[in-house]
Amino acid sequence: MNLSKFNQILTQTLLLPVLALAFVAGILVWQVRNAERTVSAIQASGESIAAATRAEKLIVDEETGLRGYQLTSDPRFLKPYRDAAQPLHAELDLLRRNLIAHGESTRPVEAMEAREQLWRVSFADQVISTIDGGGDTRDTTLNLEGQKKLDDVRTGINDIVDRETALRSQEVGRWRLQVRRTIEALIVLALASGIFISVFSLRQLHRVSDAYQGTLDGLRHHAQATFDSEERLRTTLTSIGDGVIVCDPGGCVELLNSVAQELTGWTQNDAFRRPLEEVFHILNETTREQIETPVAMVKRLNRVVGLANHTVLVRKDGTEINIDDSGAPIHDRNGALSGIVMVFRDITRERRAQNALLATEKLAVAGRLAATIAHEMHNPLDSVSNLLYLLRGEKDPNTAEHYLTLAQQELTRMGQVSRAMLGLYREAKNPVTINIKEMLDGVIVLLERPIQQRQLTIETAIPDHLEVHGFPAELRQVFTNLLANAAEATASGGKLILAARATSVKTLSSATAHRGVTIQVCDTGSGIEPEALEHIFEPFFTTKGELGTGLGLWFSRGIVDKHGGSIEIHSSSNPEDHGTTITVFLPHTGPATTQT
Ligand code: ADP
Ligand code: MG
């Protein structure tokens, strides 16, 4: 039920009774008009009767005056006779006009007037002139005749009066009937409209109350649904295994679920309305610099963001845990930012497991290199002891000098190998500047022997000046892995290439290009099958059975990521043109502090 329908019902409820009452009023007005017309007809009849009565009285006056003059011959008696003529004429005129106005015939009035005229002319005026001439007017025949003429006039008037009286009583009867009818109509209409209005209003009220009930039910339903969904969300939030913090658009904490309370060490009450940075204090694991919170990033970028790797959360009690987190904006219906939700989880155990795996991989590399190293050490030692033996019996100082130079070279090489070996394991605490050529040379020194044994050639194209910022032992390990993989995949007579150059690349997370170094490790080996290519960065994926750990590439990608770089692989197992190229990009800046 919407508002317009509600209004429509209300309008109907008010309008229809008003219309019904207006109809009743119309009928009543019509009835009253009819009655008024009847009343004015009655009044007209009354006036006509009155005029006729007055006319009759004037005639009586005329006769009385004439009779007095007949008896006394005193002209003063004639005054009523003479005075009556004018008013009589006026009364008859009035009577005539009345009759005309009510559509009645004036003929009786005219007939009566004519008779009166006749009485005056043929009797009264003669009697007067006879008396004036001193004659006698007591002639019975004449008087009877005069009497008769006047009776005719009276009869005429009486007829008019009778007619009007009959008319009047007829109108009165009609008026009574009308009044009765009006009253009856009034009662019937009042009853009918009363019943109609009550029934109609009742129906409308039912409709309104139904509509109201419907709306109420709808609202109740909505409220219940909202409550249910809120309850569901609350249950989801509290039972979710990850920490969830909800912030207002200003970045102040509104809600922490139980996991978030446990991980941060803050209770909901303590954290409520505090700035997120206070409750959720995060640092970069390696640089110890404070990291922008996901909420601040969401506010800045207004989109879902993930956190950089290697994030440490400092709990309220000062202890630290490794976390992985992300943030997402909450938008209201108009698309405005109404809050930010942040999800994070404790990855300390994962990190420990990862570290254990890394250690395993390091050990595996060491194991695999052990034989090489033993050779590397054994051969120069052999040479040196042989040279020392020769030197002991040598008399020629030039030859002795030559033996010493050779022994010196062998010892230098041993020094290189042991340094390269140590370089694999000794890690700097903080990122340092690394010369790419120096680092890659160290890698080659360690792998030179296996490469020679496999009868592979290695080409290098590494400029002197290239530098990046980072952890040297980790990067050495990366390139040792890549070069070892390349050597292991290549059959005897094959070729390896190690090349580096300065580049700048664009990454998805940033609009500006990153300047850095691209290092490529190419081989003419077997190549990687497309099915295997999908999995090679997964831990424990190996095609080397007992000889492989499947951790090399997984580890390498982790290290390159940590340095803010990228690693790509192109491989072909096509018999005509097989081989693999691995391209590593390392930015100058080194390990990132924050990245999405
Ligand atoms: P592992 O060397 O212990 O097997 P890696 O993670 O280093 O583990 O390599 C995973 C797999 O990727 C290897 O087993 C191999 O099948 C494949 N692979 C890596 N590098 C190359 C390469 N240069 N040529 C061919 N296959 C390669
Ligand atoms: Mg490997």
Side-chain angles (χ1 to χ4, degrees):
M1 159 73 51
N2 54 25
L3 202 64
S4 78
K5 190 145 182 226
F6 197 74
N7 281 340
Q8 190 192 338
I9 293 179
L10 270 186
T11 318
Q12 279 179 3
T13 315
L14 287 176
L15 205 65
L16 277 180
V18 168
L19 282 179
L21 286 178
F23 174 69
V24 172
I27 288 179
L28 282 180
V29 167
W30 178 66
Q31 292 280 59
V32 168
R33 282 270 158 80
N34 281 346
E36 268 178 357
R37 265 201 295 280
T38 313
V39 167
S40 73
I42 292 169
Q43 270 175 349
S45 297
E47 275 169 19
S48 301
I49 291 168
T53 311
R54 279 195 303 276
E56 194 177 15
K57 195 178 153 281
L58 287 168
I59 288 166
V60 172
D61 286 354
E62 278 184 328
E63 193 195 8
T64 315
L66 185 70
R67 201 144 340 258
Y69 188 58
Q70 254 185 311
L71 291 178
T72 61
S73 302
D74 184 345
R76 278 178 300 179
F77 280 97
L78 262 184
K79 191 172 181 310
Y81 170 78
R82 296 212 193 282
D83 285 355
Q86 190 58 35
L88 179 62
H89 192 68
E91 291 297 345
L92 291 180
D93 245 10
L94 179 70
L95 191 53
R96 201 172 8 237
R97 277 205 305 278
N98 239 344
L99 289 178
I100 289 169
H102 291 92
E104 288 173 48
S105 163
T106 55
R107 213 175 299 150
V109 179
E110 267 133 32
M112 192 209 66
E113 202 173 14
R115 277 183 208 146
E116 194 265 349
Q117 205 59 36
L118 185 70
W119 174 75
R120 252 178 196 270
V121 175
S122 62
F123 175 70
D125 287 354
Q126 274 183 24
V127 168
I128 292 167
S129 60
T130 310
I131 293 172
D132 285 352
D136 187 5
T137 59
R138 272 176 298 181
D139 175 27
T140 313
T141 319
L142 178 78
N143 276 307
L144 277 175
E145 201 141 313
Q147 179 70 39
K148 187 180 174 300
K149 278 181 183 138
L150 204 58
D151 282 351
D152 279 354
V153 174
R154 276 208 197 89
T155 311
I157 287 186
N158 282 341
D159 280 354
I160 290 171
V161 170
D162 286 352
R163 227 178 81 78
E164 287 301 312
T165 309
L167 259 176
R168 191 169 68 170
S169 51
Q170 197 182 328
E171 289 295 336
V172 167
R174 194 155 84 196
W175 180 77
R176 285 212 178 103
L177 190 68
Q178 275 173 346
V179 168
R180 211 176 61 224
R181 286 230 181 100
T182 307
I183 290 169
E184 280 168 7
L186 200 67
I187 291 170
V188 169
L189 285 174
L191 273 177
S193 52
I195 290 170
F196 167 74
I197 289 171
S198 344
V199 171
F200 179 74
S201 302
L202 206 67
R203 224 195 81 194
Q204 294 297 86
L205 280 179
H206 272 304
R207 275 179 73 190
V208 170
S209 100
D210 282 355
Y212 186 71
Q213 193 61 40
T215 314
L216 218 62
D217 285 351
L219 282 177
R220 208 172 290 143
H221 188 76
H222 267 292
Q224 186 63 40
T226 311
F227 179 79
D228 286 353
S229 89
E230 217 170 80
E231 201 50 38
R232 227 183 351 253
L233 281 179
R234 201 187 308 277
T235 313
T236 312
L237 263 190
T238 43
S239 59
I240 212 164
D242 288 347
V244 177
I245 300 182
V246 181
C247 291
D248 64 15
C252 290
V253 174
E254 281 191 338
L255 184 130
L256 282 92
N257 75 346
S258 51
V259 178
Q261 294 184 33
E262 206 175 292
L263 291 183
T264 58
W266 287 79
T267 62
Q268 165 74 34
N269 284 345
D270 287 348
F272 190 64
R273 291 253 172 268
R274 279 180 194 266
L276 180 71
E277 285 74 14
E278 223 175 283
V279 177
F280 192 71
H281 184 60
I282 49 177
L283 302 176
N284 179 289
E285 189 181 7
T286 38
T287 63
R288 310 292 302 169
E289 274 169 27
Q290 182 159 356
I291 303 178
E292 188 181 24
T293 65
V295 166
M297 261 156 96
V298 168
K299 263 165 72 182
R300 191 159 53 81
L301 304 170
N302 200 17
R303 63 173 166 84
V304 179
V305 297
L307 245 219
N309 299 320
H310 312 283
T311 305
V312 171
L313 169 70
V314 184
R315 307 179 70 234
K316 199 179 181 190
D317 61 9
T319 53
E320 296 181 4
I321 51 173
N322 292 98
I323 58 154
D324 188 13
D325 63 3
S326 66
I330 308 170
H331 290 124
D332 65 14
R333 264 202 288 179
N334 304 322
L337 187 71
S338 69
I340 297 152
V341 62
M342 200 185 67
V343 181
F344 60 102
R345 66 199 170 89
D346 182 1
I347 55 161
T348 309
R349 268 201 217 146
E350 256 175 74
R351 182 50 57 83
R352 268 192 217 132
Q354 264 181 14
N355 288 342
L357 279 182
L358 289 182
T360 311
E361 170 63 8
K362 280 187 182 178
L363 284 177
V365 172
R368 260 186 274 174
L369 289 177
T372 320
I373 308 291
H375 267 289
E376 290 288 346
M377 298 295 186
H378 181 74
N379 292 349
L381 273 179
D382 252 3
S383 310
V384 169
S385 60
N386 286 339
L387 287 167
L388 284 177
Y389 177 78
L390 290 173
L391 201 60
R392 191 176 291 164
E394 188 55 62
K395 300 284 183 286
D396 177 21
N398 285 340
T399 318
E401 176 74 27
H402 176 64
Y403 288 157
L404 278 176
T405 311
L406 285 178
Q408 182 76 47
Q409 278 174 355
E410 290 297 320
L411 285 176
T412 307
R413 164 122 190 101
M414 267 179 71
Q416 275 180 349
V417 171
S418 68
R419 260 201 308 282
M421 216 32 210
L422 281 176
L424 265 183
Y425 298 101
R426 262 199 207 143
E427 188 50 283
K429 279 228 156 64
N430 290 316
V432 295
T433 304
I434 305 163
N435 182 285
I436 296 291
K437 185 162 171 54
E438 250 175 60
M439 177 189 72
L440 293 179
D441 280 349
V443 170
I444 292 169
V445 162
L446 282 183
L447 291 171
E448 227 165 26
R449 188 162 293 273
I451 289 172
Q452 274 169 15
Q453 276 173 351
R454 286 175 170 268
Q455 293 170 325
L456 308 174
T457 49
I458 176 158
E459 272 177 27
T460 55
I462 311 164
D464 283 333
H465 61 276
L466 296 178
E467 282 178 347
V468 295
H469 211 62
F471 296 97
E474 287 180 351
L475 290 181
R476 261 195 202 101
Q477 178 119 31
V478 168
F479 292 102
T480 309
N481 282 332
L482 299 183
L483 203 61
N485 278 348
E488 282 162 12
T490 311
S492 101
K495 192 166 87 176
L496 310 178
I497 304 171
L498 190 57
R501 67 196 146 87
T503 44
S504 65
V505 297
K506 280 199 167 187
T507 58
L508 274 180
S509 60
S510 152
T512 54
H514 278 292
R515 287 160 51 73
V517 176
T518 295
I519 299 155
Q520 279 188 316
V521 182
C522 311
D523 63 64
T524 56
S526 55
I528 308 168
E529 298 292 334
E531 307 84 67
L533 204 55
E534 287 172 24
H535 302 290
I536 54 168
F537 286 109
E538 290 168 10
F540 306 115
F541 178 84
T542 178
T543 55
K544 297 171 191 165
E546 291 291 299
L547 294 174
T549 61
L551 293 171
L553 288 179
W554 167 77
F555 165 85
S556 301
R557 179 143 88 175
I559 299 296
V560 172
D561 276 354
K562 178 175 165 185
H563 282 75
S566 61
I567 181 163
E568 273 172 37
I569 199 157
H570 288 281
S571 189
S572 160
S573 50
N574 186 340
E576 273 119 60
D577 170 31
H578 52 85
T580 304
T581 299
I582 298 190
T583 309
V584 175
F585 171 75
L586 295 171
H588 280 308
T589 44
T593 45
T594 52
Q595 46 176 119
T596 53

